[in-house]
Amino acid sequence: MALIVYGGALSPFVRKVRVVLAEKGVEYTLDSVNPFAPPPEFLAISPLKRIPVLRDTDLPEPNTLPDSSVICDYLEHKYPRPALYPADPFPRARALWFEEYADSLMAQCIGAGLFFERIVKKLIGQAPDESIPQKTLAEKLPPVFDYLETEIGGNEFMVGGAFSIADISVTTMLVNFLHSGEEMDKARWPGLAAYMTRIHARPSFAACIAQERRFLEKLKAA
Ligand SMILES: N[C@@H](CCC(=O)N[C@@H](CS)C(=O)NCC(=O)O)C(=O)O
């Protein structure tokens, strides 16, 4: 297979790339890398020490790209159909904004503030500090969900009436919210809850989520 994705399946950023590949019907190999104990050769291709990194073996070296947003943009240009970025300038920019919002504030709240404490710490053998998720759930996440509830309104998709990188970026973060043992409050955020469930039911997301749940079940049992 020409494409190799380096990274762990539970990462929201790795999932974002995997969903883009699945939506475009592109085969790839997932090469597992633990970003908290990366092998030395990984540091050479990921100067920020983060996953994912993509390698395109169709190309001569250097043929690696770090960063999910850079990778997704590359995949969109290499495999344009189906398009996952709106064509018109303003909707395209709005989709990029939601990608940025997801990768920054949502990742901070859900990644560092919840998933890291409850799941990653277990994986790396550290003691969790449950006061961090409690503060995240009480103070940090509600304004994020309020904002998304307003933005989604009664629409099917976040931007431009079509599935896009905005939906992938926002809802990949929500997978980690669910993996952390939380549920979306349907009474408080009905539009967001329905939207999340709809997007997660797409085969591209559902396949990743099922695989990750099997892994998490084993982790719980261990
Ligand atoms: N902006 C990066 C963020 C990637 C990222 O933060 N990945 C996390 C895993 S979810 C990571 O590698 N963390 C390791 C670390 O921060 O040391 C992207 O979009 O790929």
Side-chain angles (χ1 to χ4, degrees):
M1 259 172 269
L3 298 182
I4 303 170
V5 176
Y6 298 96
L10 292 173
S11 158
F13 299 100
V14 172
R15 189 182 310 109
K16 181 176 150 195
V17 169
R18 296 183 76 196
V19 167
V20 166
L21 286 162
E23 291 283 342
K24 289 180 178 292
V26 178
E27 300 276 315
Y28 63 96
T29 304
L30 182 65
D31 189 332
S32 215
V33 172
N34 173 358
F36 302 104
E41 63 275 15
F42 182 72
L43 298 181
I45 59 170
S46 183
L48 297 178
K49 300 184 191 168
R50 294 203 170 137
I51 53 172
V53 170
L54 178 82
R55 185 186 295 280
D56 186 344
T57 63
D58 275 346
L59 305 173
E61 289 191 28
N63 56 7
T64 56
L65 289 170
D67 195 277
S68 66
S69 301
V70 172
I71 296 168
C72 292
D73 178 71
Y74 172 67
L75 293 172
E76 180 73 0
H77 286 88
K78 182 161 182 181
Y79 308 101
R81 295 284 167 262
L84 293 175
Y85 293 68
D88 291 339
F90 193 74
R92 184 173 190 281
R94 256 175 72 73
L96 294 180
W97 155 246
F98 285 113
E99 181 180 25
E100 171 58 23
Y101 183 75
D103 289 3
S104 56
L105 184 59
M106 288 185 79
Q108 254 167 40
C109 292
I110 294 173
L114 195 59
F115 187 77
F116 186 80
E117 288 301 320
R118 289 198 177 155
I119 307 292
V120 178
K121 279 200 170 170
K122 193 162 181 186
L123 283 169
I124 60 178
Q126 288 183 17
D129 175 355
E130 183 55 25
S131 71
I132 296 174
Q134 288 313 320
K135 192 174 165 69
T136 300
L137 292 166
E139 295 170 24
K140 297 190 176 167
L141 265 181
V144 171
F145 290 170
D146 287 345
Y147 172 65
L148 294 172
E149 177 75 15
T150 306
E151 290 297 322
I152 191 67
N155 299 321
E156 193 175 348
F157 302 109
M158 203 51 90
V159 175
F163 181 69
S164 76
I165 192 70
D167 304 301
I168 298 172
S169 305
V170 166
T171 63
T172 190
M173 293 298 159
L174 297 176
V175 174
N176 289 71
F177 173 75
L178 300 179
H179 281 346
S180 305
E182 294 300 319
E183 277 178 23
M184 183 65 67
D185 183 339
K186 291 191 184 81
R188 192 163 174 192
W189 298 291
L192 181 61
Y195 162 74
M196 176 187 79
T197 305
R198 234 176 14 248
I199 303 291
H200 286 176
R202 293 175 76 89
S204 55
F205 264 106
C208 288
I209 293 170
Q211 186 190 36
E212 293 167 29
R213 281 198 179 136
R214 285 195 292 275
F215 175 81
L216 287 171
E217 285 307 317
K218 278 193 208 144
L219 181 68
K220 250 190 236 162

